[in-house]
Amino acid sequence: MGVDRMTRDGYLNNISGVGPKDFNNVNYWAARLSIVADLTPNLENYIVASYTHSDTAGPISKLVAADASQGLGFLAAGQLATKPQGFYDVNNPLANSYSRITQWQVIDTTTWHASDTLTIKNIASYAQYTQNVHAPEFGTNFPFSLGPLGTYYIPFTQISPPPGLNTADQSTFTEELQFQGSAMDNRLTWQAGGYLEISDPLGLSGSQSPFLAACRSDGSDFQCTDPVGFATYVNILSQLPPGTPLAPIHVGSINYTVGSTYFHDVGLYAQGTYKLTDKLKLTGGFRYTWDSETNTSDRRSYILQYPPQYGLFPTTPNPVCTDPTATVRNCVTTLHQKSSKPTWLIDLDYTPTQDILLYAKYARGYRSATIAPNVSAPLNLVAPEQVDSYEIGVKTGFHGAVHGTLNVAAFYNDFSNQQLQVGFNARPGSGQASTAAPVNAGKSEIYGLEAEATLTPFRGLDLAAGYTYLHTKIKSVPDFSSYNDPNFTLAALFAVGDPEVLSPKNKITVSATYTLPLDESVGRISFGAIFTHRDSMLVNYTDRENPNPAIAAFSTLPALDLLNLNASWNSVAGSPVDLSVFATNVTNKKYYTYAAGLGSPSVGFETAAVGEPQMYGARIRVRFGK
């Protein structure tokens, strides 16, 4: 049995004075219980139950760039200019921002050793996951002054649960029956079985932005998501005296999305390894998978029209179905996706000596078709992905006064219909917020090299290093010209020759750990350091098309070097207590981990996720029993 409790203040300082004082905090409880029952000498049952509950201030990004001549850029620029902002400062508009996650799971494994050459194993599990998020997705809190009417704050968009529902509410049941055995005097080892996964909703779930009377300055929730409409309205107001009658102008919306998704996956598989000689082994495996997915969603927008008088007070919202194919009465759309594919594996291993393994492997992989309910046909149905993977490598070890390991592998992956996430820009007048969804690339490739080594030059000192070279390339792009969604246009897409996002060419990790030569009665005291480097990498395709260099720069994150230190004292003075202290980002690098890809000219600004600063901390672990 184990219990884990962790709390940590957030490292993002909220400068709005509204809602939590900080963000990116940690606050969770976790528990785990394991029970093993030897029912007979040949029959064992092993149950694992786990529970986790997290309650934090929720996710938030930081507004990092704006162009006052684009979309809502003039409002975003106003936010950037309102207060002096440090690197770890964010601006939250919501009085009650939170993210609450509860999940639990039970796994039951029954193993029967039927004979010396046959083992039957059954693995069943059931899990539930519930999430509630009410958070300012992009950390935008645009100030807008209307003179004597005061200053109004516009969050732009947010994540909120619908009334009485959760943001996510899903259950998952899995069942796997395995048969394991050997034959031919153990020259052949094999495994076969079947797998079933059923994931059903516990109820309707989704998100919305709450409707209030106006964009108010008290941090209340509101969503103004039509940049062109709002900018037009503001420009008219700025040129006319107070009280001048104005025609209603669409300036925002309340977007409501509620639905449920059902997954049903079945697989049959068999795999065997045959010793051709004492040094040469051949492994072959085959699997056939049937996948199905059904999504039912109710997507509607409450378009906000403003009456013909000076001031930001909306008329009664009128619901509009977001999906043009949905029935007008209830705005509900039901989508089905089915896919089935064979996959396989062929692997040849050669061990010329006890410390050297040479191998070559070929595998066919498959990712099931899926549904993107937040966009319209035909891109709401995403085709299955297929990959042919080739790998050769060597694993070695050496012993003696100086000992260690060296492993090197080269790989090539050839993709068809690879599922890549892209941005969708809201059309002016649609009342929608920009979104993202997966689409299929035509063909793409990934190849590279991985190397890792360990070395113990003398007793107590352990050194390790890892290196990865990665090349990615889009080789062909489908024709998206026929896509005609009344709510969205495709943002800047990947093009032939583009790399894939979040794929740095070079990554290096180096670590060292020294353990003091102490008697076991004292415990095990060690000191360690880990250094990591990654190259610059593309994070989105949208920002790079923006003519403003400040926004375009956020399509790529610069190279990053991080250093972490740690010290631990395990089995303190022979007790079951382990202590450790750590320091992360010791050189206090200021960096971003992701940029949202909002930088189309119709939006005019960009937000990014802030990486962790220099941190220090301590951990304690107490072990009970053996």
Side-chain angles (χ1 to χ4, degrees):
M1 179 179 179
V3 177
D4 183 15
R5 169 65 170 154
M6 183 171 180
T7 62
R8 189 197 71 195
D9 289 343
Y11 59 84
L12 296 180
N13 176 44
N14 177 24
I15 63 175
S16 72
V18 177
K21 65 181 180 65
D22 54 44
F23 281 82
N24 281 19
N25 63 317
V26 177
N27 179 29
Y28 72 80
W29 283 94
R32 175 187 171 99
L33 174 65
S34 302
I35 300 175
V36 178
D38 294 320
L39 304 177
T40 71
N42 297 320
L43 185 63
E44 176 191 272
N45 186 254
Y46 179 39
I47 297 178
V48 179
S50 60
Y51 172 87
T52 303
H53 177 74
S54 171
D55 189 349
T56 67
I60 192 172
S61 297
K62 177 183 176 181
L63 182 65
V64 292
D67 187 330
S69 66
Q70 302 178 8
L72 282 178
F74 72 102
L75 291 173
Q79 176 180 328
L80 291 175
T82 51
K83 295 182 180 179
Q85 297 188 40
F87 186 80
Y88 297 102
D89 288 343
V90 292
N91 201 320
N92 167 55
L94 303 183
N96 185 21
S97 179
Y98 60 83
S99 174
R100 297 171 185 141
I101 299 173
T102 300
Q103 53 186 332
W104 62 268
Q105 183 180 42
V106 177
I107 304 172
D108 181 87
T109 303
T110 302
T111 304
W112 177 34
H113 298 286
S115 69
D116 292 340
T117 59
L118 177 62
T119 297
I120 301 174
K121 181 180 291 188
N122 189 82
I123 306 170
S125 73
Y126 179 79
Q128 289 188 1
Y129 177 90
T130 299
Q131 181 185 42
N132 257 311
V133 179
H134 179 63
E137 186 173 9
F138 297 127
T140 48
N141 194 22
F142 300 150
F144 178 66
S145 176
L146 284 178
L149 294 178
T151 298
Y152 292 78
Y153 285 84
I154 306 167
F156 178 66
T157 190
Q158 66 190 57
I159 307 171
S160 300
L165 301 178
N166 297 315
T167 310
D169 213 356
Q170 198 79 7
S171 69
T172 301
F173 169 78
T174 68
E175 163 64 28
E176 181 174 3
L177 181 62
Q178 295 180 359
F179 298 87
Q180 304 171 5
S182 61
M184 303 179 182
D185 295 327
N186 290 324
R187 298 188 70 86
L188 174 67
T189 57
W190 59 271
Q191 178 176 310
Y195 177 81
L196 169 68
E197 181 172 342
I198 299 174
S199 183
D200 290 340
L202 295 168
L204 293 175
S205 59
S207 64
Q208 72 164 18
S209 57
F211 166 74
L212 288 180
C215 299
R216 296 200 296 260
S217 59
D218 62 357
S220 298
D221 306 341
F222 184 77
Q223 182 180 28
C224 296
T225 59
D226 181 1
V228 176
F230 191 84
T232 302
Y233 186 64
V234 169
N235 288 335
I236 292 175
L237 285 179
S238 66
Q239 299 173 29
L240 298 176
T244 302
L246 296 175
I249 297 174
H250 164 211
V251 299
S253 67
I254 307 299
N255 293 317
Y256 174 90
T257 301
V258 165
S260 56
T261 303
Y262 299 79
F263 300 93
H264 190 280
D265 308 304
V266 177
L268 297 175
Y269 64 91
Q271 180 169 311
T273 299
Y274 182 72
K275 293 182 179 180
L276 300 171
T277 70
D278 289 342
K279 298 181 178 181
L280 186 64
K281 295 190 299 183
L282 177 66
T283 298
F286 182 84
R287 179 187 179 105
Y288 203 97
T289 306
W290 297 264
D291 299 296
S292 66
E293 179 180 350
T294 299
N295 174 271
T296 299
S297 60
D298 179 351
R299 294 190 297 137
R300 61 185 72 191
S301 295
Y302 294 86
I303 306 300
L304 303 184
Q305 303 280 347
Y306 286 83
Q309 64 257 8
Y310 188 73
L312 294 179
F313 298 95
T315 59
T316 301
N318 299 311
V320 175
C321 294
T322 305
D323 187 345
T325 65
T327 58
V328 177
R329 176 178 299 178
N330 55 17
C331 293
V332 172
T333 303
T334 299
L335 299 171
H336 302 279
Q337 272 281 58
K338 286 187 177 182
S339 58
S340 60
K341 292 282 186 180
T343 55
W344 54 80
L345 164 72
I346 301 174
D347 180 40
L348 191 63
D349 293 348
Y350 178 57
T351 52
T353 70
Q354 182 178 355
D355 296 324
I356 298 177
L357 168 66
L358 304 171
Y359 68 91
K361 180 168 64 176
Y362 162 63
R364 164 67 59 84
Y366 149 78
R367 177 181 291 176
S368 64
T370 188
I371 297 171
N374 54 327
V375 298
S376 296
L379 297 186
N380 53 5
L381 298 179
V382 185
E385 172 185 298
Q386 179 178 293
V387 59
D388 287 307
S389 176
Y390 307 86
E391 182 178 344
I392 58 172
V394 56
K395 297 182 179 183
T396 66
F398 52 95
H399 306 279
V402 176
H403 59 272
T405 61
L406 175 63
N407 304 327
V408 180
F411 58 89
Y412 178 83
N413 296 331
D414 184 17
F415 286 89
S416 298
N417 288 332
Q418 187 177 13
Q419 298 172 4
L420 300 178
Q421 191 90 342
V422 299
F424 289 77
N425 290 333
R427 290 184 183 272
S430 67
Q432 300 301 306
S434 297
T435 187
V439 299
N440 294 112
K443 289 186 176 295
S444 54
E445 66 179 10
I446 298 177
Y447 63 78
L449 177 73
E450 293 180 337
E452 58 182 24
T454 64
L455 181 67
T456 302
F458 55 86
R459 184 178 179 182
L461 180 62
D462 296 311
L463 305 175
Y467 169 72
T468 300
Y469 169 77
L470 189 65
H471 166 90
T472 65
K473 182 180 179 180
I474 306 295
K475 299 171 65 176
S476 67
V477 178
D479 182 8
F480 294 108
S481 60
S482 61
Y483 180 64
N484 185 23
D485 189 326
N487 298 301
F488 301 103
T489 60
L490 275 167
L493 269 174
F494 45 79
V496 173
D498 275 345
E500 295 184 17
V501 299
L502 303 175
S503 302
K505 279 192 175 295
N506 296 283
K507 292 176 64 177
I508 300 171
T509 302
V510 180
S511 67
T513 302
Y514 179 67
T515 303
L516 297 178
L518 300 172
D519 188 86
E520 290 184 3
S521 62
V522 176
R524 188 173 185 270
I525 300 177
S526 61
F527 304 89
I530 302 175
F531 170 79
T532 60
H533 164 84
R534 65 152 174 79
D535 283 357
S536 61
M537 62 179 177
L538 184 73
V539 291
N540 65 72
Y541 299 106
T542 306
D543 289 347
R544 64 178 179 175
E545 305 298 327
N546 195 295
N548 187 315
I551 296 177
F554 280 92
S555 66
T556 301
L557 296 183
L560 177 64
D561 297 322
L562 292 176
L563 175 64
N564 298 333
L565 303 176
N566 63 81
S568 64
W569 186 5
N570 293 339
S571 300
V572 176
S575 71
V577 177
D578 299 336
L579 300 176
S580 64
V581 294
F582 62 89
T584 59
N585 191 6
V586 173
T587 57
N588 202 25
K589 294 284 187 180
K590 294 179 172 62
Y591 64 98
Y592 298 104
T593 60
Y594 189 69
L598 299 174
S600 66
S602 65
V603 176
F605 64 87
E606 180 56 295
T607 68
V610 179
E612 293 185 353
Q614 185 183 76
M615 289 192 197
Y616 302 92
R619 298 186 180 96
I620 182 170
R621 183 176 67 173
V622 180
R623 289 172 276 112
F624 300 94
K626 295 181 181 181

